[in-house]
Amino acid sequence: MRTLLAVRGVGNLGKTSTIKKFYQLLMEAYPRALVQEISVGIDITVIITIDKVKIGIESQGDPTDRLGTSLRLFVQAGCKVIVCATRTRGKTVK
């Protein structure tokens, strides 16, 4: 079973900042975690492994961007927890 945590809101509300802060706090709490950085910049796509539990994190939630690709990647990688951004309606919600 997987758990999906979606940070939901309209554009420019702070979803990316919140997800990046979550990533930062997770890394501070688990400095020995294994990290696979897929994309790191303004937005991040990473997979973190903590005690054999994989967590996929995607901060980009715009409808025309990479969210769908990242979600498929996280499922294929066996992530048990996925944290992502989503808008309040439209394609990213679906």
Side-chain angles (χ1 to χ4, degrees):
M1 179 193 287
R2 289 184 185 86
T3 300
L4 175 68
L5 303 170
V7 179
R8 182 175 175 235
V10 298
N12 299 313
L13 192 64
K15 298 178 297 294
T16 292
S17 299
T18 300
I19 290 171
K20 289 174 81 172
K21 183 65 175 180
F22 169 75
Y23 172 58
Q24 176 189 0
L25 292 171
L26 199 59
M27 294 311 301
E28 288 172 10
Y30 299 95
R32 293 185 181 196
L34 298 175
V35 179
Q36 179 185 358
E37 294 181 339
I38 297 148
S39 178
V40 176
I42 294 172
D43 285 288
I44 60 169
T45 308
V46 296
I47 296 174
I48 303 168
T49 305
I50 301 170
D51 296 330
K52 299 182 183 179
V53 175
K54 290 186 179 184
I55 303 167
I57 300 175
E58 172 59 72
S59 70
Q60 195 171 62
D62 295 331
T64 58
D65 292 320
R66 65 182 181 225
L67 181 60
T69 301
S70 294
L71 292 175
R72 284 187 291 279
L73 173 70
F74 296 155
V75 169
Q76 289 173 348
C79 293
K80 295 296 180 193
V81 177
I82 298 172
V83 178
C84 67
T86 184
R87 294 288 178 93
T88 55
R89 58 192 162 107
K91 188 175 179 180
T92 60
V93 175
K94 293 177 184 176

